Amino acid sequence: MDDTDRELLAQLEGNARLPVATLARRLGLARSTVQARIERLEEKGIIAGYALRLGDAARGDRIRATVLISIEPRSTPAVLARLKTLTQVEAAHTASGRWDMVLQLAAPSTALLDEVLDAIGEIDGVKGSESLIHLSTRIDRLG
């Protein structure tokens, strides 16, 4: 990957729907060259896909939370299997330090969020948790 590929990726991160002609103009390259670079980046798995980013108007009715959990040794696969069944769990990341996993949750109400937090606490292998309710978003580069 060279500097041109990095700039192409930066442009696509800003707006993945940019026409190839616009990308070519911005990069100072031929349209066919940009198209070939995109295809190569897709084939190499550098571009894994394209996704819809919802704006605040669509996400505004969701209560979001980060949940930190500690897990009994050797229980991670079973805990993950159970977490996958909870649709309010949007992402789960393993972590180093005091907590073993960081979860991202979203629910339409505090009542449902409370139910999900209880369900997480009841999973066999979960030793403890700490919940952080998101109040407002000040920076969002991930969408």
Side-chain angles (χ1 to χ4, degrees):
M1 206 165 71
D2 61 15
D3 288 342
T4 302
D5 287 338
R6 282 186 268 285
E7 179 58 28
L8 174 58
L9 291 173
Q11 293 290 322
L12 289 171
E13 281 180 317
N15 181 358
R17 293 185 62 184
L18 283 173
V20 174
T22 301
L23 292 167
R25 188 170 48 256
R26 289 181 180 179
L27 297 171
L29 299 171
R31 186 188 178 290
S32 59
T33 302
V34 171
Q35 185 64 50
R37 282 179 177 265
I38 291 171
E39 289 171 6
R40 181 177 44 78
L41 292 168
E42 289 171 343
E43 288 168 8
K44 287 184 169 185
I46 293 169
I47 296 176
Y50 303 89
L52 174 68
R53 260 178 63 180
L54 296 175
D56 286 340
R59 298 186 305 178
D61 62 344
R62 312 276 296 165
I63 299 162
R64 306 181 76 75
T66 297
V67 179
L68 309 168
I69 61 173
S70 58
I71 301 171
E72 296 283 346
R74 295 181 296 282
S75 295
T76 301
V79 170
L80 274 173
R82 179 68 177 106
L83 289 171
K84 286 179 183 178
T85 69
L86 302 173
T87 58
Q88 295 79 15
V89 177
E90 294 183 325
H93 309 277
T94 56
S96 63
R98 189 173 129 210
W99 302 101
D100 299 307
M101 199 167 287
V102 178
L103 310 177
Q104 293 172 221
L105 276 59
S109 69
T110 54
L112 184 54
L113 184 60
D114 192 36
E115 288 177 25
V116 173
L117 293 171
D118 286 344
I120 291 169
E122 293 171 0
I123 296 173
D124 285 339
V126 172
K127 292 191 299 187
S129 68
E130 183 175 334
S131 304
L132 307 159
I133 309 302
H134 300 198
L135 300 177
S136 66
T137 301
R138 303 298 172 98
I139 299 171
D140 183 3
R141 292 188 179 106
L142 301 175

